[in-house]
Amino acid sequence: MHTTDPRVETYDVVVIGAGYSGLAMLHHLREIGLSTLVVDAADGVGGTWWANRYPGVRTDSEYDSYAFSFSTAVREEWVWTERYPRGEEIRAYLEFVADRLDLRRDIRLSTRVERAEHSDSTNLWTLTLADGSRLRSTYLVSATGLLSRPVLPAVPGLETFAGPAHHSARWPHEGVDLTDKRVGMIGVGASGIQMLPELAAQAAHVTVFQRTPNYVVESTSPPVTPEELASLRENYDAVFERAARHPFGVPMDFPAHSALEVDDDERRQVFESKWQAGGFHFAMECFTDLMTSPEASAYASEFIRGKIREVVADPRTAEALCPTTYTFMGKRPPTGHGYYDAFNRENVELVDVLASPITEVTPRGVVVDGVEHELDVLVLATGFDAMTGALTAIDVVGREGITLRERWERDGLLTYLGIGVHGFPNFFMSVGPQTPLSNLPVPVQRGAQWLQRALSFARENGVDQLEPTREAEDWWRAETERAGHATVMYAEGRKAGAWFVGGNVPGKREEMAVYLGGGHVYQDLCAEVEAEAYAGLRPDAGLPSAHVPAGETPQVA
Ligand code: N01
């Protein structure tokens, strides 16, 4: 801690958030001798995994890549038990990381940041906490999560519901007794899809209110064998590196062929084999172009609709579950654990609210098409103000007294590599907006290590401020838009109201909030910035020469 002002605690770095990002940041920034404090509004570490306690919560990524690789002690001692670890296991993993790396002494829980303001005269950030006290730091790091600010459905009367009503990410930690209860679930994204089989197993009756159906790839979660764990420990660096060289941060094979260059039989065989592999294997390993070719995406969509019709016994329910208004990858593909099969249970009912939206929530239930569905418990699996929501909920005030929220409302989403924002000196984001859509521990770890080297550079070279230039931001926005438009995810995502284009929050500007050019490409770009002495983050340094081929201006497609 500095001693510039004895009345206000002053650190080299304050990090907001104690999930994967905050823990990695603390470990790596402490390694270079920076006094670092992590604050989190929650009363435990884990971030997303502290907050999300809904029935059935687990990772959609597999255990081997949903972890850090930087600590030999952690990777040797931690024991994974399931292919897709449950929320409780991930939370325990993060608590283990915090204990094993002795992080807790620099983490302050139950501490909510309401405002952070930069002063050019002192070159310090001043943070105001909910209790009115203040902190100061040279560097401010947000590790607030990209899917952490819940969105409630814009339905009249929601607050009048007489029974318990819980958003998936605000599920009570002590659980909810659903025995003999009539449960209504609004939302069929990754959260609702994980939840349904478990709700149905406990409740008397579950009514699923579905607006846009999803393409769910089913999977199983067998125990991790001692041999698998031993093999992972032996090959940890190679597994992590393989994930880091994959566009989506998973250690998976690259497909060899386009879906358009094989015949119907072969296409079906490939789809079937990767359907059997389950989860993200289907999206990542079938063909080179499921994400870039509308025809290839349409083939995958038809294959999954076929699976839905095979599994779901009632033809009307099956048809209602089949997405038709957008194609595969128009939403981030969720992993199911008996999702479609749950609709074969007598106590599960699907109510299609696409054509006839929910008109009202009453004290007794949910009204659709003039029919009141009576409920005891309401589950709101209605998603998040993704990528920017947690950042704009805090008043982060940069130069000229402008907040991040005002800046992005005025100018559109602008960041440099999702790491920093012009006008906000010495402010850095872990997996901020416009970073790759990815299995997150990979970019989280890489990002913390990149920032460690950037701040070492700044200290060693007397650079007082790192701050993206306007030119760098404009370049990254154009590149993010270009990369997004080169996929089917932009056009289909807009049709589907996907969170990665901001389509799920009424009134939010629709723009690419993630980078779809590939995690590996992104890592290379970050390396170029580093190789060129943090060009792009220093006034007058221009852009790294490798960013823009000579004579070319990046175009928004
Ligand atoms: O949220 P979502 P999520 N009436 O935005 C519906 C990550 N994640 O929490 O599509 C009716 O996907 C909405 O309908 P529509 C993962 O990246 C990861 O499920 O807008 N419905 C949609 O069905 C994921 O992609 C994991 O028509 C309404 C649903 O609510 C991201 O988080 C687990 C409505 C929201 O789906 C978000 O997933 C869980 C209304 N008025 C999540 N308003 C793991 O890997 C909203 N909806 C562990």
Side-chain angles (χ1 to χ4, degrees):
M1 202 190 306
H2 296 301
T3 51
T4 44
D5 182 345
R7 288 162 304 171
V8 180
E9 291 173 55
T10 305
Y11 295 85
D12 291 322
V13 192
V14 171
V15 179
I16 309 174
Y20 268 92
S21 287
L23 299 183
M25 285 290 178
L26 175 53
H27 176 73
H28 286 297
L29 298 180
R30 209 195 236 178
E31 271 182 336
I32 54 167
L34 294 178
S35 63
T36 305
L37 179 72
V38 172
V39 294
D40 197 306
D43 48 2
V45 300
T48 283
W49 299 97
W50 178 261
N52 281 269
R53 310 289 181 113
Y54 60 79
V57 59
R58 59 168 84 234
T59 61
D60 277 0
S61 296
E62 293 171 50
Y63 70 97
D64 58 355
S65 56
Y66 205 74
F68 297 129
S69 76
F70 55 71
S71 162
T72 314
V74 169
R75 57 201 221 184
E76 284 301 316
E77 293 169 30
W78 179 255
V79 178
W80 294 110
T81 71
E82 269 191 86
R83 180 181 178 194
Y84 296 98
R86 286 184 176 269
E88 209 177 332
E89 184 161 331
I90 297 290
R91 199 162 56 251
Y93 168 75
L94 291 171
E95 286 177 352
F96 178 74
V97 169
D99 290 331
R100 192 67 182 81
L101 302 180
D102 190 23
L103 300 177
R104 286 191 198 266
R105 64 188 157 88
D106 290 321
I107 299 175
R108 200 171 294 172
L109 298 170
S110 310
T111 303
R112 180 178 294 281
V113 176
E114 295 200 326
R115 182 180 173 85
E117 182 164 6
H118 188 263
S119 155
D120 251 346
S121 59
T122 60
N123 200 23
L124 289 172
W125 284 93
T126 299
L127 289 83
T128 308
L129 309 178
D131 66 2
S133 65
R134 286 179 299 157
L135 296 169
R136 288 211 175 108
S137 62
T138 305
Y139 303 109
L140 176 67
V141 176
S142 74
T144 44
L146 40 89
L147 293 150
S148 52
R149 189 179 181 196
V151 173
L152 297 178
V155 179
L158 187 61
E159 66 296 342
T160 67
F161 183 66
H166 301 294
H167 187 276
S168 54
R170 294 290 178 268
W171 198 260
H173 291 192
E174 65 281 10
V176 180
D177 184 6
L178 301 176
T179 318
D180 299 330
K181 298 286 196 297
R182 295 163 302 174
V183 176
M185 184 177 87
I186 303 178
V188 292
S191 304
I193 282 157
Q194 289 186 338
M195 219 182 312
L196 177 64
E198 305 229 359
L199 297 178
Q202 294 171 39
H205 189 268
V206 183
T207 310
V208 179
F209 298 96
Q210 170 193 274
R211 191 163 60 187
T212 312
N214 232 312
Y215 292 99
V216 181
V217 181
E218 294 284 354
S219 200
T220 55
S221 188
V224 176
T225 65
E227 295 73 29
E228 285 169 332
L229 197 57
S231 162
L232 174 63
R233 285 177 179 161
E234 249 173 57
N235 300 298
Y236 226 113
D237 288 325
V239 172
F240 192 89
E241 188 55 26
R242 195 167 166 231
R245 297 312 304 164
H246 188 280
F248 291 93
V250 287
M252 291 189 187
D253 292 335
F254 284 95
H257 299 288
S258 154
L260 311 183
E261 67 185 3
V262 296
D263 63 24
D264 286 349
D265 278 353
E266 189 177 344
R267 197 162 39 238
R268 189 166 175 89
Q269 271 173 27
V270 173
F271 279 145
E272 183 62 39
S273 75
K274 296 304 173 188
W275 179 267
Q276 295 305 331
F280 292 150
H281 290 276
F282 184 84
M284 304 298 157
E285 294 186 322
C286 284
F287 295 106
T288 51
D289 47 1
L290 294 192
M291 219 183 91
T292 51
S293 152
E295 293 98 310
S297 165
Y299 280 129
S301 309
E302 191 49 37
F303 177 86
I304 297 178
R305 285 192 288 265
K307 287 290 176 192
I308 297 170
R309 291 175 186 126
E310 269 172 34
V311 175
V312 179
D314 173 49
R316 279 187 57 189
T317 304
E319 284 317 306
L321 285 168
C322 286
T324 53
T325 55
Y326 70 101
T327 62
F328 184 61
M329 294 303 284
K331 283 182 180 277
R332 180 282 211 178
T335 299
H337 295 267
Y339 175 70
Y340 289 124
D341 198 30
F343 289 95
N344 292 327
R345 297 177 62 114
E346 289 202 344
N347 68 337
V348 174
E349 177 191 2
L350 182 68
V351 176
D352 186 346
V353 298
L354 190 59
S356 285
I358 298 169
T359 48
E360 193 188 353
V361 174
T362 67
R364 286 174 308 278
V366 168
V367 181
V368 180
D369 219 3
V371 177
E372 186 179 64
H373 297 263
E374 289 196 19
L375 304 167
D376 303 307
V377 178
L378 191 53
V379 177
L380 305 169
T382 45
F384 301 91
D385 183 354
M387 305 309 292
T388 54
L391 287 161
T392 55
I394 301 169
D395 286 332
V396 180
V397 186
R399 254 193 219 112
E400 298 164 20
I402 289 179
T403 63
L404 272 180
R405 184 176 52 251
E406 290 162 344
R407 175 82 205 290
W408 288 336
E409 274 171 10
R410 189 187 69 190
D411 300 337
L413 187 54
L414 284 162
T415 77
Y416 184 39
L417 296 161
I419 293 173
V421 182
H422 179 67
F424 297 80
N426 290 336
F427 167 64
F428 305 97
M429 299 175 286
S430 173
V431 289
Q434 300 178 333
T435 47
L437 187 67
S438 177
N439 169 48
L440 287 167
V442 171
V444 162
Q445 173 173 322
R446 286 285 160 103
Q449 292 167 339
W450 185 94
L451 188 62
Q452 181 196 61
R453 295 189 297 275
L455 298 189
S456 292
F457 168 89
R459 282 200 310 180
E460 285 159 15
N461 292 280
V463 175
D464 292 335
Q465 294 189 346
L466 287 173
E467 176 197 339
T469 60
R470 267 307 310 250
E471 183 194 15
E473 274 187 340
D474 288 343
W475 177 78
W476 186 239
R477 181 182 166 89
E479 171 56 14
T480 300
E481 294 285 331
R482 184 207 59 74
H485 286 248
T487 70
V488 298
M489 294 181 76
Y490 181 71
E492 298 300 318
R494 287 190 68 194
K495 290 182 205 163
W499 58 257
F500 51 77
V501 290
N504 67 321
V505 178
K508 192 168 177 175
R509 201 190 276 245
E510 283 196 6
E511 51 196 341
M512 280 313 301
V514 295
Y515 179 59
L516 292 175
H520 57 317
V521 174
Y522 173 83
Q523 294 300 340
D524 290 345
L525 292 167
C526 292
E528 284 168 12
V529 174
E530 187 177 341
E532 297 198 29
Y534 301 92
L537 285 145
R538 291 187 298 121
D540 309 326
L543 279 174
S545 51
H547 272 21
V548 187
E552 276 183 31
T553 310
Q555 297 291 324
V556 180

